[in-house]
Amino acid sequence: MKHLALYLLAFWCYISQTQAEFFTSIGQMTDLIYIEKDLVKSLKEYIKAEESKLTEIKSWAEKLNQLTHISTSDPEGYLGHPVNAYKLMKRLNTEWLKLESLVLQQTSDAFIANLSIQRENFPTDEDESGAGKALMRLQDTYRLDSESISKGRLPDPTHLRAQSNLHYFKNFLHEEGQSDQPANEDYYQSQSKEEVYMRPENYLTERDSYESLCRGEGIKMTNRRRGRLFCRYHNNNNHPRLIIAPMKEEDEWDSPHIVRYHEMLSDAEIEKIKELAKPRLARATVRDPKTGVLTVANYRVSKSAWLDDDEDPVVNRVNQRIEDITGLEVDTAELLQVANYGVGGQYEPHFDFSRKEEHDAFKELGTGNRLATVLNYMSDVPAGGATVFPDFGAAIYPKKGTAVFWYNLFRSGEGDYRTRHAACPVLVGSKWVSNKWIHERGQEFRRPCGLTEVD
């Protein structure tokens, strides 16, 4: 056992130096479940071997205890029998050495060997710390009391929806009397957009709005505006592939216009995309606005992978479907990005498009700015994980197999700063998404330029 303790001490020192970030992807964390199961099996085998060894040692001890009781009661009389004298010599010269070997036998060798193999896949101190911070983030964002979260009593989806509805009805009468113009649009059009969104004093206001929307509060959708939202069959002006099987299109927001496409991905397609992406998942990065270099950031907790268009028929088919539905050229788009969010996984408010101060953000691509975003939801999320837009108070909830679409740029090429959005922390479940960022080049005749800045 002394050897085992020393080995475990060295083992824990070693794993603290290995690569971390298991906590950033639930999909990869599932591997740890099977690693632990294998170690438990190995540990049980070790315990069984130890118990067998102890049983044999106890048998020796009981037998020798009886012999020594007899021999010590009359040592000379006992040794007066030649057979007893011979057996004593034999026991001390041979059998006690066998017992020594039995006691020193390392039945834990198989367990230690397995532990040594598996340790390279273990999480590190950084993972434990990251998971702890994630719990604190969930507690803060969703206003959970310490007792509830420590005992695992977390709200379900109906809780979040109920909060949303309650807030909506409380504000219904007040908002019905206001202008029919969508919230913040007048203010947006009359201000310098870079100044409005980049002022440091606006961060806390945006943070409060972001977290409120994550909780299902503060959604700015009046009945009048809701009446402008419709569901329809979408064939994109009689596109050949959509005439017979049009897409189910649902308005999620009026201005800026955000739509959801139902049955965008089948379960089989989703599983194939996850299968292709999982071995390549790596910590998601963001572009430093000052240097333009991709870097890891604490405000984006997820892992992602990029899938080439032609590496599998499923990826090619999904890309073609995106082009058919949006009517936009995808040859100049970025590769399909697949992301899986970890414990408390989130992506705080950000823009998909590059701003004026980011001159070389997409220079290496040579395809212009990110014109539009297609976000595929590849899993249901029992609680949390909504896509929210703090500027105009929208919250869009994940629904497996659907996709949401919006434009990041006006027809003039100017960025629509209202589209600053965030991925709320995942409270319960594993969130899988994939997205396609469609760029400006190739859209000259598919989405012609407008005549004013906000066309």
Side-chain angles (χ1 to χ4, degrees):
M1 296 304 292
K2 179 180 179 181
H3 297 290
L4 176 60
L6 291 173
Y7 186 89
L8 287 175
L9 178 61
F11 160 66
W12 289 116
C13 290
Y14 170 82
I15 65 169
S16 65
Q17 302 174 4
T18 57
Q19 185 177 3
E21 298 182 347
F22 276 100
F23 75 97
T24 59
S25 169
I26 292 293
Q28 288 192 327
M29 282 181 65
T30 57
D31 294 340
L32 299 178
I33 296 292
Y34 297 100
I35 288 175
E36 188 171 46
K37 179 181 179 180
D38 183 68
L39 288 174
V40 169
K41 179 182 177 182
S42 180
L43 182 60
K44 290 175 70 175
E45 291 173 351
Y46 158 67
I47 293 171
K48 184 178 180 180
E50 283 289 302
E51 289 175 340
S52 176
K53 183 175 78 171
L54 285 174
T55 299
E56 189 173 352
I57 293 173
K58 284 173 65 176
S59 176
W60 272 75
E62 291 173 359
K63 181 178 68 174
L64 291 171
N65 183 56
Q66 294 176 0
L67 285 172
T68 56
H69 177 72
I70 295 172
S71 63
T72 55
S73 62
D74 181 10
E76 289 189 4
Y78 178 80
L79 292 175
H81 196 298
V83 174
N84 289 342
Y86 167 75
K87 286 184 176 181
L88 175 63
M89 296 298 106
K90 182 180 179 182
R91 284 199 303 272
L92 292 174
N93 184 56
T94 304
E95 296 183 6
W96 273 98
L97 292 178
K98 290 181 180 179
L99 181 59
E100 180 184 21
S101 297
L102 177 61
V103 171
L104 295 177
Q105 178 185 337
Q106 295 295 319
T107 56
S108 62
D109 286 349
F111 171 65
I112 293 297
N114 189 34
L115 194 60
S116 178
I117 293 172
Q118 299 286 15
R119 66 183 180 183
E120 295 183 3
N121 301 315
F122 271 32
T124 67
D125 288 345
E126 184 180 344
D127 281 303
E128 183 177 349
S129 175
K133 290 177 182 177
L135 290 178
M136 294 177 63
R137 182 165 58 248
L138 291 173
Q139 185 175 351
D140 290 342
T141 302
Y142 295 105
R143 294 183 178 175
L144 304 171
D145 62 88
S146 300
E147 183 180 2
S148 293
I149 199 167
S150 65
K151 294 183 178 180
R153 295 199 301 264
L154 302 177
D156 58 35
T158 58
H159 169 87
L160 298 179
R161 297 282 183 151
Q163 289 295 326
S164 171
N165 293 336
L166 178 63
H167 183 86
Y168 167 73
F169 285 114
K170 280 183 177 180
N171 290 277
F172 170 70
L173 293 177
H174 173 70
E175 292 187 351
E176 272 293 280
Q178 294 181 1
S179 168
D180 196 36
Q181 185 77 356
N184 293 336
E185 191 165 312
D186 289 335
Y187 177 70
Y188 165 79
Q189 293 182 3
S190 65
Q191 301 292 312
S192 168
K193 293 172 284 299
E194 288 85 351
E195 292 179 358
V196 170
Y197 290 92
M198 298 305 176
R199 291 174 188 155
E201 62 268 23
N202 287 340
Y203 173 76
L204 290 178
T205 302
E206 180 185 61
R207 181 78 190 185
D208 290 342
S209 176
Y210 157 57
E211 293 186 349
S212 294
L213 289 169
C214 289
R215 294 191 297 271
E217 304 167 0
I219 298 175
K220 300 175 181 176
M221 177 59 69
T222 66
N223 266 0
R224 184 177 298 174
R225 293 181 66 188
R226 194 181 299 276
R228 291 198 292 259
L229 306 182
F230 295 96
C231 295
R232 65 189 69 82
Y233 283 104
H234 174 71
N235 61 23
N236 196 13
N237 296 319
N238 294 320
H239 188 285
R241 277 186 286 269
L242 295 177
I243 293 177
I244 298 178
M247 290 295 296
K248 298 175 182 177
E249 183 183 74
E250 177 185 3
D251 292 329
E252 285 282 352
W253 208 259
D254 53 355
S255 180
H257 194 204
I258 302 175
V259 297
R260 185 193 296 262
Y261 294 107
H262 293 265
E263 300 176 9
M264 179 71 171
L265 299 176
S266 68
D267 288 348
E269 289 172 333
I270 288 173
E271 290 308 310
K272 184 61 180 180
I273 291 173
K274 288 167 60 176
E275 177 190 329
L276 294 170
K278 191 172 180 180
R280 303 183 223 169
L281 289 176
R283 181 68 184 271
T285 57
V286 297
R287 192 177 300 276
D288 189 310
K290 296 181 179 179
T291 65
V293 176
L294 292 176
T295 183
V296 170
N298 292 330
Y299 58 82
R300 188 180 189 186
V301 183
S302 64
K303 285 190 174 180
S304 62
W306 299 85
L307 301 183
D308 289 326
D309 300 352
D310 57 355
E311 68 177 272
D312 189 273
V314 168
V315 179
N316 184 270
R317 187 161 64 244
V318 169
N319 288 332
Q320 183 62 61
R321 192 174 302 146
I322 290 173
E323 179 170 316
D324 293 347
I325 294 169
T326 64
L328 299 174
E329 176 64 65
V330 297
D331 285 346
T332 56
E334 295 177 49
L335 301 182
L336 188 70
Q337 180 182 226
V338 181
N340 179 228
Y341 289 81
V343 179
Q346 65 164 356
Y347 192 178
E348 292 185 7
H350 61 282
F351 300 104
D352 279 353
F353 63 91
S354 66
R355 276 73 66 207
K356 291 181 178 179
E357 65 272 16
E358 298 177 296
H359 303 293
D360 300 328
F362 303 115
K363 183 178 180 180
E364 71 277 9
L365 298 179
T367 53
N369 209 343
R370 286 174 174 167
L371 174 69
T373 296
V374 177
L375 178 61
N376 300 306
Y377 293 117
M378 302 200 302
S379 66
D380 292 314
V381 181
T387 304
V388 299
F389 295 78
D391 179 78
F392 52 89
I396 298 174
Y397 295 91
K399 183 178 180 182
K400 185 179 181 181
T402 69
V404 291
F405 170 77
W406 68 85
Y407 281 103
N408 298 304
L409 307 180
F410 291 109
R411 287 183 178 271
S412 63
E414 289 290 321
D416 187 345
Y417 280 71
R418 297 172 300 170
T419 62
R420 186 170 170 85
H421 60 286
C424 294
V426 176
L427 183 57
V428 179
S430 177
K431 181 182 177 182
W432 284 89
V433 299
S434 61
N435 62 276
K436 193 76 171 176
W437 283 310
I438 301 173
H439 283 241
E440 293 177 287
R441 299 294 180 265
Q443 319 304 340
E444 292 81 1
F445 298 102
R446 300 196 179 204
R447 193 190 190 228
C449 293
L451 299 178
T452 66
E453 182 180 348
V454 293
D455 279 349

